């Protein structure tokens, strides 16, 4: 399983730049458009949630003074739950779209005739087994939560001790980063072995990703910092600083200009993030044997269909 683990950041950036050159404009509009739609829906739902929360508090006060019935509180609570459900569905929808972005770029790196466009992204989204993808995403969220739960409990128990509280919070962030690196290739590994997941637990994708990333975590971290985080940070600091200057000087033009340029700059960088994520898997996949990565994970078909139990029963009867 251990092969050449060398990863060249320079070669990575050169290939990423060569791929995006001339094809960025075709990809940026659908990717940025879907992301903008997700942000707009999320902002609208957040606004409704804020308004409904204020309305519910008002209803509580009116019930206390006998000016409304308790049914008003129940209706407001149901409306808040509905908005929460819509926010969750919006997040799931974008996770499918984001996965389609990454899969489209992975196909592009494997076949230069494939182009990342609105049609290719929609094709990935349409043919995606959303139930399986959702289960992978939920497993990742569950395990990340469980890994951070013990220190979260300790931090809450010792909340008055600032030293212990800060140590626990920092340790949790380190755990999240570490596990995020380990589980980062789960969906790509699922894509390459999708037929084998029929009837299987999607948790195997996480196990395979953890094995796959053995020796690769530092390379992915290096790529993420240099290619994704630093450019976004520099851009946001520059135009966030412009917005702060506008707030400090009470200049509305600078405030709006700074925030809008920061937001749309981040939006325009989403295709680069998707391409870099897919390219990392593309460049490292030939250094891993997927059969060994998934070794001892999938259950035999006979066991899944119940044939194994039937064979065991026949053997027991034959012995008798």
């Amino acid at each position: 399983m251990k092969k050449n683990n060398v990863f060249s950041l320079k070669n990575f950036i050169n290939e990423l730049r060569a791929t995006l050159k001339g094809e960025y404009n075709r990809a940026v509009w659908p990717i940025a458009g879907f992301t903008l739609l997700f942000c707009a829906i999320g902002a609208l739902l957040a606004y409704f949630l804020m308004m409904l929360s204020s309305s519910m508090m008002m209803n509580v006060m009116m019930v206390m003074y006998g000016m409304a019935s308790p049914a008003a509180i129940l209706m407001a609570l149901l409306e808040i739950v509905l908005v929460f459900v819509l926010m969750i569905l919006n997040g799931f929808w974008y996770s499918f779209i984001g996965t389609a972005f990454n899969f489209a770029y992975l196909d592009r790196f494997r076949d230069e005739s494939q182009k990342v466009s609105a049609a290719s992204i929609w094709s990935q989204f349409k043919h995606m087994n959303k139930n399986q993808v959702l289960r992978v995403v939920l497993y990742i969220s569950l395990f990340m939560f469980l890994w951070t739960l013990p220190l979260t409990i300790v931090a809450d128990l010792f909340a008055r001790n600032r030293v212990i509280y800060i140590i626990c919070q920092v340790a949790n962030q380190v755990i999240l980063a570490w596990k995020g690196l380990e589980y980062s290739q789960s969906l790509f590994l699922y894509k390459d072995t999708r037929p084998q997941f029929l009837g299987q637990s999607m948790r195997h994708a996480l196990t395979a990703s953890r094995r796959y990333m053995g020796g690769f975590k530092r390379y992915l971290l290096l790529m993420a910092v240099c290619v994704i985080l630093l450019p976004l940070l520099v851009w946001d600091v520059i135009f966030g600083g412009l917005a702060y200057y506008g707030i400090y000087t009470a200049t509305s033009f600078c405030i709006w200009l700074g925030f809008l340029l920061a937001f749309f700059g981040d939006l325009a960088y989403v295709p680069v993030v998707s391409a870099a994520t897919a390219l990392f898997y593309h460049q490292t996949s030939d250094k891993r044997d997927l059969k060994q990565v998934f070794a001892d994970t999938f259950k035999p078909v006979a066991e899944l269909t119940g044939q194994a139990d039937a064979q065991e029963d026949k053997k027991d009867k034959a012995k008798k």
Side-chain angles (χ1 to χ4, degrees):
M1 184 169 174
K2 289 186 178 180
K3 297 182 181 180
N4 181 19
N5 286 349
V6 175
F7 173 82
S8 172
L9 181 63
K10 181 179 180 181
N11 293 338
F12 180 91
I13 294 176
N14 289 337
E15 184 172 353
L16 181 64
R17 184 183 293 114
T19 301
L20 292 173
K21 185 177 181 180
E23 300 183 20
Y24 173 80
N25 291 336
R26 184 189 295 109
V28 67
W29 296 110
I31 294 178
F34 280 125
T35 305
L36 181 61
L37 179 62
F38 163 73
C39 294
I41 294 174
L44 186 63
L45 291 174
Y47 173 77
F48 281 138
L49 182 62
M50 181 181 66
M51 297 298 295
L52 290 173
S53 298
S54 300
S55 176
M56 183 174 178
M57 295 302 298
M58 181 63 69
N59 288 332
V60 170
M61 294 181 61
M62 293 178 68
V63 169
M64 291 175 61
Y65 287 102
M67 300 174 63
S69 66
I73 299 178
L74 180 60
M75 288 300 299
L77 184 60
L78 290 176
E79 291 173 344
I80 292 175
V81 170
L82 176 61
V83 172
F84 267 119
V85 170
L86 292 176
M87 293 177 75
I88 293 173
L89 292 177
N90 186 44
F92 286 153
W93 167 79
Y94 188 72
S95 69
F96 298 145
I97 289 293
T99 302
F101 297 161
N102 296 341
F103 286 179
Y105 268 112
L106 182 60
D107 288 347
R108 163 62 183 83
F109 288 122
R110 290 175 170 176
D111 183 0
E112 292 186 1
S113 64
Q114 299 287 334
K115 302 300 180 183
V116 179
S117 61
S120 64
I121 292 171
W122 182 251
S123 177
Q124 291 285 349
F125 177 80
K126 183 171 62 174
H127 295 100
M128 183 186 303
N129 189 322
K130 298 173 183 60
N131 177 46
Q132 291 182 330
V133 171
L134 178 60
R135 284 156 58 195
V136 173
V137 173
L138 289 177
Y139 265 123
I140 293 175
S141 302
L142 174 63
F143 285 136
M144 298 282 271
F145 168 75
L146 292 177
W147 273 106
T148 58
L149 182 60
L151 286 177
T152 301
I153 294 174
V154 173
D156 290 339
L157 291 175
F158 296 93
R160 293 184 179 181
N161 190 320
R162 299 303 299 173
V163 175
I164 296 179
Y165 181 82
I166 292 174
I167 291 175
C168 290
Q169 294 298 331
V170 172
N172 262 344
Q173 295 305 313
V174 173
I175 291 173
L176 284 174
W178 183 266
K179 289 300 174 181
L181 292 172
E182 285 192 335
Y183 300 148
S184 60
Q185 308 305 303
S186 299
L187 288 169
F188 289 122
L189 290 167
Y190 154 73
K191 173 179 169 59
D192 280 347
T193 55
R194 181 159 34 191
Q196 301 179 47
F197 274 95
L198 183 62
Q200 303 283 348
S201 172
M202 303 309 296
R203 181 168 52 86
H204 299 324
L206 279 66
T207 302
S209 178
R210 181 170 49 80
R211 296 173 180 175
Y212 182 95
M213 289 303 293
F216 283 160
K217 287 186 283 293
R218 62 184 181 275
Y219 299 132
L220 179 57
L221 181 62
L222 176 65
M223 184 278 291
V225 170
C226 296
V227 178
I228 298 176
L229 296 180
L230 279 181
L232 288 174
L233 180 63
V234 171
W235 182 270
D236 289 341
V237 166
I238 292 174
F239 293 103
L242 177 63
Y244 176 79
Y245 172 79
I247 295 173
Y248 183 76
T249 59
T251 308
S252 299
F253 175 76
C254 291
I255 296 174
W256 284 104
L257 182 64
F259 281 130
L260 288 176
L261 287 177
F263 175 74
F264 284 106
D266 292 345
L267 204 61
Y269 204 70
V270 175
V272 181
V273 175
S274 294
T277 303
L279 180 58
F280 180 86
Y281 178 77
H282 173 66
Q283 288 192 349
T284 56
S285 59
D286 62 346
K287 301 178 177 64
R288 287 287 187 262
D289 184 351
L290 294 189
K291 290 184 178 179
Q292 294 186 18
V293 168
F294 281 96
D296 303 323
T297 55
F298 294 124
K299 293 182 179 180
V301 176
E303 185 177 342
L304 289 174
T305 58
Q307 293 179 355
D309 295 334
Q311 293 173 0
E312 288 294 330
D313 292 339
K314 289 180 179 180
K315 289 181 181 180
D316 292 339
K317 291 179 180 181
K319 291 180 180 179
K320 293 178 180 180

